[in-house]
Amino acid sequence: MSFCKHVPLRRGDRRGQVEAYKAMLQSLKDGNSLVIFPEGTRSQTGKMRKFQSGAFKASLATGAPIVPVTILGTGELMPPDAYMPMKYPKNGISIIVHPKIYPEGRDATELSQLAYAEINSALPTELQNAVDIQDSPQI
């Protein structure tokens, strides 16, 4: 994993979180792209959970843009309580890459809200959360 510049996170360990955040900043400063799942973990319902702030704070600290990505169909492939893939989704798996969100002139809350709204907008209606950019549940 180190060859691929993987940044491990030890959940529930504050020191591990700080180390992961520092490694994430360094990786971004080195010009690497990172894949971050800001929810931290998947929900049991398939609806998005609120986003954690680390990715958005890192964007502000380094100037790296956020590229929101919606991934559809993986909940059917690998439900949250499964240890192995269950079945290939009947509608397949889709990946939707949204436009970049640049951090300039924004704060972490606004970056989180914008990314959440973009990803949420591409989800099936039954999985969407009501999102008001000015008053969303993130951070």
Side-chain angles (χ1 to χ4, degrees), residues 11 25 28 30 40 63 75 77 82-84 105 112 116 122-123 125 137-139:
R11 294 179 189 215
L25 289 178
L28 289 169
D30 290 345
L77 174 70
Y83 291 101
M84 296 182 64
S112 174
Y116 193 98
L123 294 173
T125 306
Q138 295 74 1
I139 301 180

Side-chain angles (χ1 to χ4, degrees), residues 6-79:
H6 175 78
V7 178
L9 172 64
R10 293 190 314 263
R11 294 179 189 215
D13 175 359
R14 184 68 181 147
R15 179 176 289 180
Q17 292 170 357
V18 170
E19 289 172 6
Y21 183 74
K22 288 179 181 178
M24 179 171 53
L25 289 178
Q26 188 58 55
S27 187
L28 289 169
K29 288 176 184 175
D30 290 345
N32 298 310
S33 296
L34 297 175
V35 175
I36 300 170
F37 296 92
E39 292 173 273
T41 190
R42 294 183 297 155
S43 71
Q44 291 292 321
T45 65
K47 289 189 172 194
M48 280 196 302
R49 299 165 56 110
K50 78 175 201 171
F51 285 175
Q52 303 297 315
S53 62
F56 308 102
K57 290 178 180 178
S59 173
L60 289 168
T62 63
I66 305 280
V67 181
V69 176
T70 305
I71 305 172
L72 303 169
T74 56
E76 192 176 340
L77 174 70
M78 183 107 176

